[in-house]
Amino acid sequence: MKRVVLALVFVVFGSAVVLADEPKVTTVTASVVDGVQRVEILGGDYYFEPNHIIVKKDIPVELVVKKAPGWVPHDIVMDAPQAGMAFKLEFDKEGEVVKFTPTQAGTFPFYCDKRLLFFKSHKERGMHGEIEVVD
Ligand SMILES: [Cu+2]
């Protein structure tokens, strides 16, 4: 009986931890101003906000990435050269600008690749999102 209770506690507690790590989806559609799609996102402990960014194909994007208050360093990594989107940079509270032009429709993940020693990576803790490129 004791073992069953322990297993139940583990299941309930374990799933709560998993849920806490899965960020809620916040979506933004880039607005086109003077032929450029501008989007601003905030990166903090341990999230990107918004984390679902919709952009149009073949129109230049200016992505501003700003850091939320906190001492933990973060970066943003996008590795989709086939779609014209490949970058990796750290950002601060003033913000860094990333310029690229998406060349392929689809959904492409980005994430923070920081990790402290043997702890879970920031990505595993919820610091990830995606850029959805539409025609
Ligand atoms: Cu991070």
Side-chain angles (χ1 to χ4, degrees):
M1 183 60 195
K2 208 175 209 175
R3 196 171 281 177
V4 172
V5 171
L6 270 179
L8 263 177
V9 167
F10 181 78
V11 166
V12 171
F13 186 71
S15 56
V17 168
V18 168
L19 282 176
D21 275 2
E22 213 35 62
K24 78 174 194 314
V25 176
T26 48
T27 302
V28 69
T29 303
S31 48
V32 184
V33 178
D34 298 329
V36 177
Q37 313 186 75
R38 287 194 177 81
V39 198
E40 191 172 306
I41 66 175
L42 194 65
D45 312 344
Y46 294 87
Y47 62 89
F48 285 108
E49 157 83 58
N51 54 18
H52 179 210
I53 297 153
I54 302 171
V55 297
K56 287 197 181 72
K57 185 174 162 260
D58 296 327
I59 299 175
V61 174
E62 276 185 24
L63 179 66
V64 179
V65 192
K66 285 187 178 168
K67 192 176 179 303
W71 60 269
V72 181
H74 296 296
D75 67 5
I76 183 168
V77 179
M78 162 63 81
D79 187 23
Q82 75 279 13
M85 302 187 290
F87 50 82
K88 172 184 160 87
L89 67 144
E90 293 204 5
F91 49 87
D92 55 23
K93 63 185 193 322
E94 272 74 51
E96 293 290 332
V97 183
V98 195
K99 295 180 183 183
F100 57 88
T101 301
T103 55
Q104 185 185 309
T107 300
F108 305 93
F110 62 84
Y111 59 96
C112 173
D113 76 350
K114 301 282 187 192
R115 164 184 228 140
L116 185 61
L117 300 173
F118 47 83
F119 291 101
K120 279 171 139 188
S121 68
H122 292 192
K123 183 185 179 186
E124 285 171 316
R125 295 173 76 162
M127 206 168 175
H128 58 86
E130 57 194 22
I131 295 181
E132 184 183 345
V133 182
V134 296
D135 272 311

